[in-house]
Amino acid sequence: MIYYTCSYIPLEVLMGSDIEFQRLMRSSPTSSHELGCNLCGYAKTVYQKGMELDSNDCLLIVDSCDAMRRVGDLLDEHSLANVFILRLPWKRGLEAVTFLSGEIQRLVSFLDSSAISIDLSEGVRRFNKLVDHVLANEKELAAGDLTDLYLHALNGKQGSFTSKSGATACTSRLAITGGITDIVALDEAVKNAGGVISVNDTCLGARPFSERTQEKPDPFQAVAERLLKWRSPCARFSEGEFRSNGEVDATVFVAPKFCDFYDFVRPKDGKSVYRIELDYPINSQGQLSTRIGALMEKNSVRSVSPSKEGIKMLFAGVDSGSTTTNAVLIDREGRIIFSKTLKTGVRASNTAEALIAEMTEVASKEGKRIGKCVSTGYGRLLVSSASDRITEISCHARGVFELFPEARGIIDVGGQDSKVIRLSPDGNVDDFAMNDKCAAGTGRFLEVTAAALELEIDEMALMARKRNKDISISSVCTVFAESEVVSLIGMGERIENISSGLFRAIAKRVGAMYSRLGSPVPLVFTGGVARNSGVVDALKELFGTEIIVPEAPEIVGAFGAALIARDSVVED
């Protein structure tokens, strides 16, 4: 069996033999103590699979980055498989083509020494037939069918499709570009967000099949030319560029976590392209669906046409968060008729439905009915009574803009995550950033560290104002920060100084995201943590600007959801 790791391994060579081959992928998380922690998940996948192979297998690796070069060297030394490392040029000119042509010849010689004969001319013919099949189908397929088309082709096979499942007119169409990702899991996340991937311009998608290989007297030269003329080259190449596609509503640019190259590449069109750092394989479906949903929402145009009959209606918003669930009921003018906050508990759906039932009763007593309910938050998909489900990014933006139309920046710190949003002058989401990798910089961080100090969170804020020196809490992990607090207590450090240091640690965590978005002002602070004066003071000190805190910051997301419900109601 032949396994290969990169689409710069020429399929023409692999298809020129009668040996089965497979693009190396894995859907379950991997770990590798030999390689360390700060290495992309795909490099770990390649290493783990390589160590599982035996002497009858061939493993073809490309030195497309430092990580893969390290993995290749280790496997060449320790794996039982026959390992080949193809060297990749940095540019795409004539000299690079000549260099890569020589590498392809070296690959053919390697396979020949492994008793695998290659007919490259036949391989070119088979490959071109496969390209024709891909090009004939990719424009009519979307989502899982499009992914199946490419994954079959990467293994040299033609997938068959009895029905064409392109994106419908009412579905948000997304393009995916950038580095390698778990495309099957990404399809599912996009589906959960209400969209569909209709263009896949990654190395697991259209790139390897963007053009046929020319039939030339020197097939090695022809294959090298084809490999170096993909429409979107790998980030390894100095002249690479990444563009959004005009046929889609938005583009997701994937930067693999701990990547040597994609970490330093930024997509150019910020309004229609959103950069997402992803593990391989993907292990955070909920947060990913929120990010993608917000991207689709910020590029959509909503109807704002309340019915004249809307005076008989009230509009509800439910923010189902990880810690609390907030509900808001408004009238046609946007006045808040009712609001309430409950602990989410272990059954988020039950908590949300209880609040909706209470709002329904309030509406009935007013002689009105709930015309529409919009849910938001991580539990938004669990609210069965909701008519629409909108991400908290869009809902906080809508709520803040209604309250403070001059606002250009929003910080939302919740129980398990924190977000920073940049608003346009008309209140739309220009860009956003999320901290969802761990609980650092969130309400949970405060709860854990307050418990270590044996204080209530509000008591911490009062103590922090009495500090007599600045202490730096260096740990960005909540668990490690708790240990650091215990150590500081053991060293006799004042509680006032430790409390202040913890608040400044949160501010720095949020501040990193805020600065990436250009530090927009005026700035509004929402979410339950905004009630804590210690965090507010630390943010003011760090940013050097005033921060607006709404009267009830914890309900802003639910308020925005209710406003979106009102804005979208159109009756005959």
Side-chain angles (χ1 to χ4, degrees):
M1 182 75 169
I2 300 175
Y3 295 91
Y4 73 104
T5 66
C6 175
S7 294
Y8 279 105
I9 293 291
L11 286 176
E12 295 92 331
V13 171
L14 303 182
M15 297 182 76
S17 76
D18 295 322
I19 303 296
E20 186 178 1
F21 63 89
Q22 186 179 106
R23 173 69 190 254
L24 199 154
M25 297 176 64
R26 186 184 293 269
S27 59
S28 58
T30 61
S31 62
S32 173
H33 299 295
E34 297 88 346
L35 298 175
C37 298
N38 297 335
L39 201 68
C40 84
Y42 188 69
K44 293 180 181 179
T45 291
V46 171
Y47 180 78
Q48 184 166 319
K49 181 63 177 179
M51 294 301 292
E52 295 171 0
L53 301 180
D54 60 35
S55 58
N56 295 319
D57 297 314
C58 289
L59 177 58
L60 312 181
I61 298 174
V62 175
D63 70 340
S64 52
C65 63
D66 290 341
M68 292 307 300
R69 185 158 47 242
R70 288 168 57 195
V71 167
D73 290 342
L74 278 172
L75 290 176
D76 189 32
E77 182 177 353
H78 298 294
S79 175
L80 296 177
N82 300 303
V83 178
F84 176 86
I85 304 173
L86 184 141
R87 294 173 296 170
L88 198 62
W90 291 81
K91 294 183 177 294
R92 297 189 289 161
L94 181 59
E95 290 183 356
V97 170
T98 301
F99 174 84
L100 187 55
S101 174
E103 286 296 290
I104 297 171
Q105 293 180 52
R106 196 167 63 85
L107 170 60
V108 171
S109 298
F110 165 82
L111 292 173
D112 184 65
S113 67
S114 302
I116 300 174
S117 60
I118 302 296
D119 183 341
L120 188 54
S121 296
E122 177 61 17
V124 168
R125 188 190 67 79
R126 292 174 179 174
F127 174 77
N128 285 341
K129 186 176 180 180
L130 181 63
V131 170
D132 292 341
H133 169 76
V134 171
L135 295 178
N137 285 276
E138 63 181 353
K139 294 297 183 183
E140 301 180 57
L141 298 174
D145 284 344
L146 183 64
T147 294
D148 285 344
L149 171 71
Y150 293 133
L151 294 184
H152 275 88
L154 288 168
N155 294 330
K157 301 174 182 177
Q158 294 186 13
S160 59
F161 304 92
T162 56
S163 63
K164 306 297 184 183
S165 58
T168 61
C170 60
T171 303
S172 293
R173 301 161 301 167
L174 297 185
I176 172 73
T177 189
I180 189 169
T181 187
D182 182 351
I183 188 63
V184 175
L186 186 58
D187 271 329
E188 185 64 23
V190 171
K191 178 183 176 182
N192 291 338
V196 63
I197 295 179
S198 58
V199 175
N200 180 348
D201 189 26
T202 71
C203 58
L204 295 182
R207 288 187 203 168
F209 311 104
S210 59
E211 64 180 68
R212 303 170 97 249
T213 300
Q214 297 181 16
E215 297 184 10
K216 292 185 173 182
D218 184 353
F220 295 100
Q221 186 86 0
V223 172
E225 288 179 356
R226 195 273 301 176
L227 286 170
L228 294 177
K229 292 183 179 179
W230 292 347
R231 53 176 175 253
S232 291
C234 173
R236 160 91 182 246
F237 290 87
S238 57
E239 64 272 84
E241 61 180 78
F242 301 90
R243 302 179 299 274
S244 58
N245 189 308
E247 299 176 356
V248 298
D249 300 307
T251 298
V252 175
F253 181 94
V254 173
K257 188 176 180 180
F258 301 125
C259 180
D260 290 345
F261 290 103
Y262 283 94
D263 272 356
F264 304 98
V265 176
R266 293 289 185 271
K268 296 178 180 178
D269 185 0
K271 293 187 178 298
S272 61
V273 181
Y274 186 60
R275 183 181 186 274
I276 297 180
E277 181 186 85
L278 292 178
D279 290 327
Y280 184 96
I282 292 172
N283 57 14
S284 55
Q285 280 280 344
Q287 295 94 332
L288 182 56
S289 293
T290 295
R291 291 170 179 262
I292 293 172
L295 170 66
M296 295 189 300
E297 290 159 7
K298 85 184 185 77
N299 284 284
S300 66
V301 178
R302 293 192 187 91
S303 170
V304 184
S305 307
S307 163
K308 293 181 179 179
E309 298 298 317
I311 196 169
K312 299 177 182 178
M313 296 182 184
L314 298 178
F315 306 93
V318 177
D319 183 356
S320 178
S322 59
T323 304
T324 62
T325 299
N326 302 281
V328 169
L329 190 65
I330 65 171
D331 62 14
R332 183 171 178 264
E333 283 70 39
R335 292 187 292 259
I336 296 178
I337 305 300
F338 169 90
S339 68
K340 191 170 185 177
T341 297
L342 294 176
K343 290 287 186 182
T344 297
V346 295
R347 297 189 182 277
S349 59
N350 290 355
T351 305
E353 294 300 335
L355 286 170
I356 292 174
E358 192 169 349
M359 287 190 290
T360 301
E361 185 177 346
V362 170
S364 178
K365 289 179 179 179
E366 294 274 335
K368 300 178 181 180
R369 63 185 178 87
I370 296 178
K372 190 172 186 179
C373 176
V374 168
S375 64
T376 188
Y378 278 162
R380 65 190 178 278
L381 299 179
L382 302 175
V383 185
S384 58
S385 298
S387 304
D388 285 328
R389 294 156 183 85
I390 307 296
T391 67
E392 54 268 39
I393 304 291
S394 297
C395 290
H396 277 268
R398 183 66 185 89
V400 165
F401 188 70
E402 185 77 9
L403 296 171
F404 310 101
E406 74 280 10
R408 293 297 175 266
I410 302 171
I411 290 176
D412 169 38
V413 179
Q416 299 290 347
D417 74 353
S418 53
K419 310 174 186 71
V420 178
I421 305 166
R422 187 177 70 228
L423 295 179
S424 66
D426 56 1
N428 290 323
V429 176
D430 259 353
D431 202 359
F432 62 93
M434 292 177 63
N435 165 38
D436 56 13
K437 297 297 182 185
C438 68
T442 69
R444 181 58 180 162
F445 180 91
L446 279 177
E447 290 176 2
V448 171
T449 52
L453 291 171
E454 297 182 355
L455 293 174
E456 295 295 327
I457 295 176
D458 290 338
E459 290 181 294
M460 283 178 61
L462 295 175
M463 299 289 280
R465 290 181 174 176
K466 300 177 182 179
R467 79 182 191 268
N468 60 13
K469 70 175 181 179
D470 291 337
I471 287 181
S472 176
I473 305 296
S474 58
S475 298
V476 296
C477 170
T478 300
V479 177
F480 291 156
E482 181 184 15
S483 299
E484 193 170 348
V485 167
V486 172
S487 297
L488 288 169
I489 294 173
M491 294 167 59
E493 189 57 68
R494 294 182 66 204
I495 300 300
E496 293 87 346
N497 296 336
I498 298 174
S499 297
S500 174
L502 290 168
F503 289 129
R504 287 188 294 110
I506 291 178
K508 288 179 181 179
R509 186 78 170 181
V510 175
M513 294 189 291
Y514 180 61
S515 62
R516 285 207 305 269
L517 295 189
S519 304
V521 290
L523 178 63
V524 178
F525 190 8
T526 65
V529 176
R531 285 193 175 276
N532 187 280
S533 60
V535 179
V536 175
D537 291 344
L539 288 171
K540 286 181 179 179
E541 184 178 334
L542 178 66
F543 299 158
T545 184
E546 283 299 312
I547 297 176
I548 303 169
V549 179
E551 183 178 342
E554 70 276 6
I555 69 169
V556 171
F559 178 53
L563 290 169
I564 291 173
R566 181 202 66 175
D567 295 347
S568 63
V569 169
V570 179
E571 293 190 9
D572 295 330

